[in-house]
Amino acid sequence: MAISNKVYAMPPVVDANSRLLFLGSMPGTASLAASRYYGHARNHFWPILYRLHGAGVPDASYEDRLRFALAHGCALWDTIASCERKGSLDADIREAVPTDIPGLLRAYPGIEVIVCNGGKSYETLDRHHGMHPEVLRRAVLKVPSSSPIPTRQHKGLEEKAAAWLAALSPFVKPRGDAQGG
């Protein structure tokens, strides 16, 4: 009897004030085990998100991090609803079933920007929903994965944060700059 390595996405973190939808591919094993988005202690997502909003060091509490994201118009979800995968690497994803991104966008029409966290997220969104009207009417950005694993172009937090800031600066106002000044 084969052992199944089937994993399932978590529900979205979103509310009526969400303007930016951050999409991962499928949470890693540490995140799934903790039922927390970007739950691996070394993942760069939370430090980058806080920097984008001029807020410094992320809150220690996961619940406070979620409140911070929502307070700044940021929603979190994934492009893959379920898949077969051993470990946490996107390269090991098999039998991917996409999430209903168009349905989420219909339910939350205030979302203006879709931010794909890494290549697998972008590829999955594009393959399954790239031509859907709900996706087409929004800006879609691909940013380097917040995974702590270095890539050829982005070695660590500083390079990834700079790339995210460059891509997202037209859509994000740091705290204290809400009036445009």
Side-chain angles (χ1 to χ4, degrees):
M1 179 182 233
I3 296 173
S4 174
N5 292 308
K6 191 143 190 144
V7 292
Y8 298 88
M10 297 181 287
V13 173
V14 61
D15 67 17
N17 298 313
S18 297
R19 293 184 324 98
L20 293 97
L21 173 60
F22 288 88
L23 293 174
S25 53
M26 170 61 72
T29 54
S31 296
L32 290 171
S35 294
R36 295 177 175 196
Y37 279 98
Y38 306 102
H40 191 287
R42 291 182 38 232
N43 191 288
H44 298 136
F45 178 81
W46 293 111
I48 292 172
L49 186 69
Y50 276 62
R51 284 185 189 191
L52 284 172
H53 294 92
V57 178
D59 292 298
S61 148
Y62 178 68
E63 292 72 22
D64 287 341
R65 290 176 182 197
L66 292 182
R67 277 191 282 279
F68 176 89
L70 290 172
H72 288 85
C74 300
L76 310 174
W77 206 21
D78 291 296
T79 56
I80 300 172
S82 67
C83 66
E84 294 281 334
R85 184 187 65 200
K86 278 176 126 174
S88 296
L89 296 177
D90 282 352
D92 294 334
I93 291 174
R94 304 284 180 266
E95 308 290 327
V97 174
T99 53
D100 183 13
I101 301 296
L104 183 82
L105 296 172
R106 272 191 302 278
Y108 296 94
I111 295 173
E112 302 166 355
V113 181
I114 300 169
V115 183
C116 294
N117 184 351
K120 185 70 171 182
S121 170
Y122 180 82
E123 170 192 307
T124 304
L125 176 70
D126 189 53
R127 181 183 318 121
H128 295 284
H129 306 299
M131 296 309 293
H132 194 285
E134 289 292 339
V135 173
L136 289 172
R137 72 179 194 85
R138 287 152 170 106
V140 176
L141 307 175
K142 178 180 152 190
V143 296
S145 171
S146 64
S147 164
I149 298 170
T151 66
R152 223 174 292 130
Q153 297 87 3
H154 303 96
K155 303 296 185 225
L157 173 60
E158 297 307 321
E159 290 173 352
K160 290 178 184 185
W164 280 53
L165 190 57
L168 286 162
S169 63
F171 307 103
V172 175
K173 295 281 185 212
R175 195 177 351 177
D177 194 28
Q179 304 304 317

